[in-house]
Amino acid sequence: MIPLSSLSSFFTRTGAELHLYHLGRTLIPLSLEQLEAFETTQQPWEQPFKGQARLACVFRPSGIEDPLVWFLAMPLDEEGRLSPAQRDAFLERLITTLGQTALSVGRNNIQVAEAAKIDNLMQDNPLTFTPDDTLRAMLHARASLDCERPTSQHHALAEQYLGAKLPLDDWPSLGLQGIADVLTRRGTLEPLLAEALPARIAALPATPLRAIALCLEQAPPAHTHLTSALETAQEAALLEVLIQRGQNAREQGDLETLCACLRASSASPLPAASRWIDALLADDDAANVDVLVAIAARGYAHLEDAERLPVFLTRLASCPQASFGALARDLALIPRLRLPVLMTLRNANPDSALGRALSALTQQASVESAMKRH
């Protein structure tokens, strides 16, 4: 019997229909091969968030109608690779619960009773986390699409509303899952509804606008991992509307709406998103802690730019309300940003805001290290 050494080997042995998703920064698919490379420490985690590898495992064993869903947050080391202790403890619990027979090589089905045991493993599991309602709704919408399952009962009403077929003030009747379904499958909208979507979002009241923006964080305009996108020009128009609504909110002092639009916009790879980030970073009044956190969380891909990253880190170091160490450390865990962040910090002038922030972190680390020794 080959020992159960990883989650990827568990899914391989069960023979279940499987879909994996990153849940750290943007909801995107994850292959079983990528998970295996991470678990064997061949690769760091692509989307670290708060020192964790957050993922959703949506799997349907043979003979089970509804998929099981695990939300897992595995600890990372200082290089963004797996710290395996909690994962290993979970695997031991899995073996104990199901027994070795259920995990034998070549087993391609799991009985209903055994599936219930697997689902119960999420109770009191230190690896489990609870996504917020919006992320859960977007995952359900994306997994339903990938598994070729129907949309929710709220889909049709949300489609009519977002397609401007219902009055603007009808938004309280919408279900969040319906909004998530429409935005995830927006490429399947009828041409007239698709054409109307950007203009409709431009006219929305603030409350439904924020709900839609929160959903679009996980399915950003023109994102490469969208499986059902609008036409190229419509995706660009969607981004422009979000930026304009965000700018309007900023002028009106509506920080909540500004940040919602910023998080959805900055997750888009389009140049317009980069330009808006640059404009906010250049504005002393706009570059507050909430804006900086939104850029770090969703717009991190735009920080790969050699000129933008030092500007961002300097703003972060100059913001008293921001946790410079935590945010810089989280960015440095992202594989594509690790070296640029470290080099920017290393090259900082000691007398600059960035240099002083780095010095303070170094002193704090020295103090903590000395306390541990004693």
Side-chain angles (χ1 to χ4, degrees):
M1 176 70 189
I2 300 174
L4 184 64
S5 58
S6 65
L7 288 168
S8 49
S9 63
F10 164 73
F11 289 123
T12 299
R13 293 189 194 188
T14 61
E17 176 190 349
L18 175 67
H19 296 275
L20 302 170
Y21 301 92
H22 283 281
L23 291 187
R25 296 177 181 271
T26 303
L27 197 164
I28 63 174
L30 172 73
S31 71
L32 185 60
E33 291 75 20
Q34 288 173 312
L35 177 61
E36 182 178 12
F38 167 67
E39 289 194 273
T40 55
T41 67
Q42 297 175 48
Q43 293 180 2
W45 191 248
E46 181 183 349
Q47 284 199 28
F49 185 69
K50 296 184 177 180
Q52 296 176 327
R54 295 190 175 189
L55 72 155
C57 309
V58 181
F59 60 107
R60 188 173 66 86
S62 178
I64 306 300
E65 181 176 355
D66 295 322
L68 305 176
V69 183
W70 288 351
F71 297 108
L72 301 177
M74 294 185 281
L76 301 173
D77 65 16
E78 65 278 1
E79 295 184 350
R81 299 179 189 274
L82 175 66
S83 291
Q86 289 189 13
R87 189 278 315 267
D88 292 346
F90 173 64
L91 292 174
E92 290 179 7
R93 185 176 173 186
L94 184 60
I95 293 171
T96 301
T97 300
L98 292 182
Q100 292 285 3
T101 303
L103 298 171
S104 58
V105 177
R107 177 77 179 272
N108 60 4
N109 68 314
I110 292 181
Q111 301 303 318
V112 174
E114 292 172 343
K117 290 179 182 179
I118 293 175
D119 204 26
N120 289 337
L121 281 169
M122 292 300 100
Q123 299 178 8
D124 302 320
N125 183 348
L127 289 184
T128 301
F129 77 101
T130 303
D132 62 39
D133 291 342
T134 300
L135 181 53
R136 189 184 290 268
M138 288 300 290
L139 173 68
H140 185 277
R142 178 58 187 266
S144 295
L145 176 60
D146 291 344
C147 296
E148 300 181 347
R149 296 173 69 87
T151 58
S152 71
Q153 60 183 344
H154 307 288
H155 175 257
L157 186 63
E159 184 175 87
Q160 292 176 25
Y161 181 82
L162 292 175
K165 297 295 185 181
L166 296 173
L168 280 172
D169 57 5
D170 274 8
W171 64 264
S173 63
L174 303 182
L176 177 59
Q177 189 60 61
I179 296 173
D181 288 336
V182 173
L183 295 177
T184 298
R185 300 174 185 243
R186 58 185 183 261
T188 64
L189 289 171
E190 295 178 4
L192 290 178
L193 295 181
E195 190 68 33
L197 182 59
R200 181 63 161 184
I201 291 177
L204 288 177
T207 299
L209 170 64
R210 288 193 294 268
I212 287 167
L214 288 172
C215 287
L216 285 172
E217 288 183 34
Q218 308 303 333
H223 199 275
T224 54
H225 288 281
L226 290 175
T227 55
S228 181
L230 300 170
E231 297 292 336
T232 301
Q234 293 169 342
E235 288 287 331
L238 183 58
L239 175 60
E240 292 291 349
V241 164
L242 287 169
I243 292 173
Q244 187 58 57
R245 290 301 305 264
Q247 284 290 86
N248 294 344
R250 176 176 163 250
E251 293 169 3
Q252 296 164 6
D254 184 354
L255 184 60
E256 184 180 1
T257 301
L258 164 61
C259 288
C261 291
L262 175 59
R263 290 165 71 93
S265 300
S266 62
S268 170
L270 295 179
S274 295
R275 291 194 293 269
W276 191 27
I277 290 173
D278 287 339
L280 292 172
L281 291 177
D283 189 324
D284 291 339
D285 295 328
N288 57 53
V289 61
D290 297 287
V291 166
L292 294 173
V293 169
I295 293 171
R298 299 291 182 249
Y300 64 94
H302 298 283
L303 299 181
E304 293 178 26
D305 183 86
E307 295 182 2
R308 189 175 298 118
L309 178 60
V311 173
F312 174 82
L313 289 174
T314 298
R315 282 293 190 188
L316 190 62
S318 304
C319 182
Q321 295 80 21
S323 177
F324 175 80
L327 286 171
R329 191 178 299 113
D330 213 34
L331 286 175
L333 285 178
I334 300 172
R336 293 176 63 91
L337 279 176
R338 180 172 178 79
L339 185 58
V341 168
L342 294 179
M343 292 301 296
T344 301
L345 295 177
R346 180 180 299 174
N347 295 333
N349 187 316
D351 295 327
S352 67
L354 190 53
R356 290 192 296 272
L358 180 60
S359 177
L361 282 180
T362 303
Q363 292 175 8
Q364 180 183 352
S366 298
V367 171
E368 292 175 351
S369 177
M371 291 178 65
K372 288 179 180 180
R373 289 196 299 268
H374 295 286

